[in-house]
Amino acid sequence: CGCPQNIAKRGKYGAFLMEDEGGDRIVNIVKHLVAHLSVPVSVKLRILPSGIEDSLVLYERLVDAGASMLTIHGRTRFQNKQMVGDADWESIRKVVQRVGHRVPVLSNGNISDMDDVRRCLEFTGADGIMSSEAILEYPPLFLETNVESTEYKRTGPGRLQMAEDYLELCKRYPPDEGGQGTGMKCIRAHLHRFLHKDLQTHTEVRNAVTKTFSMEAADNVVNMVREIYDKNGHDISEEELSWYVRHRVRPEDDDFAEEKKDATVQEAEEEGCPCDIFGEVCGDDDGDY
């Protein structure tokens, strides 16, 4: 129950499912799943717009219904895009205090590196961490990289290696096979996230990504980036998250304004709900996980 997009409201899923029929619908769904499945049922939720107290009541109802684990994204459905703001760890701590003795509680939101993981676990008392957008941009997020102990330098793999490794996996396991996936749209979305920082300064790379409709074209994108890195003496240790913080840059910054001015139609398309890359699930561009 996380997607805040309007299409989720029309389809009665995502974050809106928490509010449908006063919460009865999601509670009944969990009851039905628990009764008919042989595996544990977990639920990921946001905070209700009406506040944490109403949310706690719903979370308890879900545990009573048989949910075996809760993952709480510490934001309401209104917190997306430029209004995303910080995740509310204090509310997540209240969830742990209320139901943590009954089921594991995972914390989601404001996780960009292992320092954030440690701070969040200590503050909330949660049993674990879920990362969404940050790990989409940088899958080795849970390594000791870009943290205080490394003087905030990237000691893990660079973003170009992420893109190269991903394309190799795509060749072995095509994203349009196996019953789900959107083929090259899925690949473009991931390249856009991995290489977001490069797309902001090298328009030729950004244009190449938007025109990536074959694996050959995708390989060409990473080759272009590699040539740029070789020419400019790129230092991996200086890399940091870019796509993850795109809505956290202040609008008055000149760089932010220029980036929005130069944004392409394809970039806007890839800004939609991350679940889009696995199929035509969400379509409106007004959400942010």
Side-chain angles (χ1 to χ4, degrees):
C1 302
C3 183
Q5 300 188 47
N6 285 335
I7 193 172
K9 181 177 182 179
R10 294 195 295 270
K12 297 184 183 297
Y13 63 87
F16 299 91
L17 191 58
M18 297 173 59
E19 303 167 56
D20 196 18
E21 299 179 2
D24 289 348
R25 183 180 293 271
I26 182 59
V27 170
N28 289 332
I29 289 174
V30 170
K31 286 181 179 178
H32 181 83
L33 292 174
V34 170
H36 294 85
L37 295 177
S38 60
V39 295
V41 176
S42 65
V43 188
K44 176 183 178 291
L45 309 106
R46 286 184 178 240
I47 298 171
L48 284 168
S50 56
I52 186 58
E53 293 305 320
D54 288 342
S55 300
L56 290 171
V57 172
L58 176 60
Y59 303 156
E60 283 191 304
R61 291 181 64 194
L62 291 168
V63 174
D64 292 340
S68 296
M69 183 176 74
L70 299 182
T71 298
I72 307 301
H73 182 177
R75 295 184 176 95
T76 71
R77 62 179 172 85
F78 294 112
Q79 290 179 268
N80 58 79
K81 295 297 181 185
Q82 282 76 22
M83 301 300 294
V84 62
D86 290 334
D88 186 353
W89 287 0
E90 177 60 38
S91 289
I92 295 174
R93 177 159 64 178
K94 291 180 180 179
V95 180
V96 174
Q97 293 170 345
R98 182 71 68 91
V99 300
H101 63 291
R102 299 177 62 188
V103 297
V105 177
L106 305 187
S107 179
N108 175 223
N110 277 28
I111 302 297
S112 62
D113 54 48
M114 278 300 295
D115 282 347
D116 287 341
V117 170
R118 285 183 281 266
R119 282 191 289 266
C120 184
L121 291 176
E122 180 179 3
F123 185 88
T124 64
D127 297 285
I129 295 294
M130 173 186 170
S131 173
S132 174
E133 288 201 336
I135 210 164
L136 274 173
E137 178 178 352
Y138 192 66
L141 175 71
F142 295 127
L143 294 178
E144 292 291 339
T145 181
N146 296 99
V147 292
E148 184 176 6
S149 63
T150 67
E151 299 181 339
Y152 303 103
K153 301 293 185 180
R154 176 159 291 178
T155 55
R159 55 181 179 256
L160 179 59
Q161 183 178 336
M162 293 299 96
E164 291 175 329
D165 291 350
Y166 171 68
L167 291 183
E168 286 304 311
L169 288 172
C170 288
K171 293 169 185 175
R172 292 168 58 187
Y173 311 103
D176 56 350
E177 296 182 6
Q180 66 173 7
T182 54
M184 293 310 302
K185 178 182 177 181
C186 177
I187 293 173
R188 286 196 304 273
H190 281 295
L191 288 178
H192 174 237
R193 291 169 172 91
F194 295 146
L195 303 174
H196 184 266
K197 181 66 174 179
D198 302 299
L199 305 188
Q200 308 315 303
T201 54
H202 301 286
T203 57
E204 71 277 17
V205 178
R206 184 168 66 228
N207 292 337
V209 171
T210 66
K211 298 174 182 177
T212 296
F213 297 103
S214 68
M215 287 305 302
E216 291 78 12
D219 286 332
N220 181 58
V221 168
V222 298
N223 289 335
M224 291 174 66
V225 175
R226 187 184 301 107
E227 291 177 2
I228 292 171
Y229 284 4
D230 290 343
K231 179 181 179 180
N232 297 337
H234 181 76
D235 185 357
I236 293 176
S237 70
E238 297 298 321
E239 291 184 3
E240 55 187 10
L241 293 176
S242 173
W243 181 74
Y244 173 67
V245 299
R246 68 201 183 284
H247 294 314
R248 294 164 178 80
V249 179
R250 291 174 297 160
E252 62 268 24
D253 287 352
D254 291 339
D255 289 344
F256 177 87
E258 189 64 24
E259 174 181 336
K260 300 306 290 184
K261 178 181 178 182
D262 291 341
T264 64
V265 173
Q266 182 65 32
E267 282 194 67
E269 177 186 86
E270 308 300 5
E271 286 287 286
C273 172
C275 61
D276 276 356
I277 63 178
F278 301 113
E280 297 297 339
V281 180
C282 302
D284 295 350
D285 182 21
D286 61 356
D288 186 301
Y289 267 36

